[in-house]
Amino acid sequence: MKKWLIPLVIVGVIVFAGYRWAVGFNNTAVDLNEKISESWGNVQNAYQRRSDLIGNLVNTVQGAADFEKETLTSVIEARAKATSINIDPTKVTPAQLAQFNQVQGGLTGALKSLLVTVERYPDLKANENFLKLQDELASTENQILTARTRFNEAIRPYNTHIKRFPNSLLAGVFNFESKPYFEAEMGAEKATDVKFNFGKKE
């Protein structure tokens, strides 16, 4: 091989290696990002199921005579706020996730108040629809917890991939930014209790 070709070969090898590294980094980040989007979709589905159940719950409660309108209104308003927030999982920020957590926590609090209030209404406590909704809400809370956990599990490998050196050098070039994790809501150490003595005689 001629001596003048050696530098060209070396440069070519370096360029090719850099290209392969960049392609590998980008494709892996894209794959991990897609898993995050899929996990976020499951989070949304779980919260949407809860929202639908709460809508049915409200309709059931509305049929009760003299039920506290203020309590019912707070649930309806909290539900509207919770369903008004749309997040793009590929561009989610800590502030957006914190806001999402806040409104969902507000809905949880309003729901707790509603269920406590129902204790004063024997007819509602014995209502079959209400009993079924109670069980489905408890199941949905577990689904939400699972979906949030899996979302965090999808975030971790993505964040690790783009933060590790030398991948971190390419992250900015390809506009890949780290994503926030779901954090526990205030008071989350106290489990939401949606099981009451509905249907049991006083």
Side-chain angles (χ1 to χ4, degrees):
M1 180 182 291
K2 296 182 179 180
K3 291 184 178 181
W4 63 271
L5 284 177
I6 295 176
L8 292 178
V9 171
I10 293 173
V11 170
V13 169
I14 292 173
V15 169
F16 180 75
Y19 170 77
R20 294 291 298 172
W21 169 46
V23 168
F25 166 81
N26 182 74
N27 290 347
T28 299
V30 167
D31 289 343
L32 293 173
N33 215 9
E34 282 301 308
K35 289 181 180 178
I36 291 172
S37 295
E38 179 183 3
S39 296
W40 180 253
N42 292 333
V43 170
Q44 287 184 309
N45 286 340
Y47 275 113
Q48 183 61 55
R49 174 174 167 76
R50 181 174 77 159
S51 177
D52 293 342
L53 288 172
I54 290 173
N56 293 336
L57 186 74
V58 167
N59 290 336
T60 300
V61 172
Q62 280 177 330
D66 301 323
F67 191 84
E68 286 91 332
K69 291 183 179 179
E70 184 177 344
T71 302
L72 200 55
T73 299
S74 67
V75 172
I76 293 171
E77 291 177 351
R79 179 174 177 258
K81 286 181 182 178
T83 56
S84 67
I85 295 183
N86 295 311
I87 293 179
D88 180 352
T90 63
K91 300 176 182 177
V92 62
T93 65
Q96 288 176 327
L97 207 54
Q99 183 186 19
F100 182 86
N101 260 342
Q102 183 179 10
V103 297
Q104 293 296 343
L107 179 54
T108 298
L111 179 59
K112 284 181 182 179
S113 297
L114 176 66
L115 293 175
V116 168
T117 304
V118 167
E119 283 286 288
R120 299 194 290 270
Y121 293 83
D123 289 344
L124 273 176
K125 290 166 62 177
N127 185 296
E128 288 186 10
N129 286 338
F130 202 98
L131 289 170
K132 182 180 179 182
L133 288 169
Q134 171 214 343
D135 290 339
E136 290 184 2
L137 275 169
S139 173
T140 301
E141 290 296 331
N142 290 330
Q143 290 177 19
I144 288 173
L145 176 60
T146 299
R148 285 167 58 114
T149 300
R150 288 178 179 169
F151 176 77
N152 281 351
E153 289 173 351
I155 290 285
R156 184 181 58 79
Y158 168 84
N159 281 351
T160 301
H161 177 68
I162 68 169
K163 287 181 178 180
R164 279 182 174 168
F165 183 84
N167 288 353
S168 56
L169 300 175
L170 289 178
V173 175
F174 290 102
N175 295 318
F176 289 112
E177 298 179 354
S178 63
K179 301 182 189 299
Y181 292 92
F182 261 118
E183 295 183 359
E185 299 171 16
M186 293 295 292
E189 67 279 3
K190 299 177 182 178
T192 302
D193 186 4
V194 295
K195 293 186 177 180
F196 293 84
N197 294 322
F198 300 138
K200 294 183 179 180
K201 295 181 180 180
E202 296 292 324

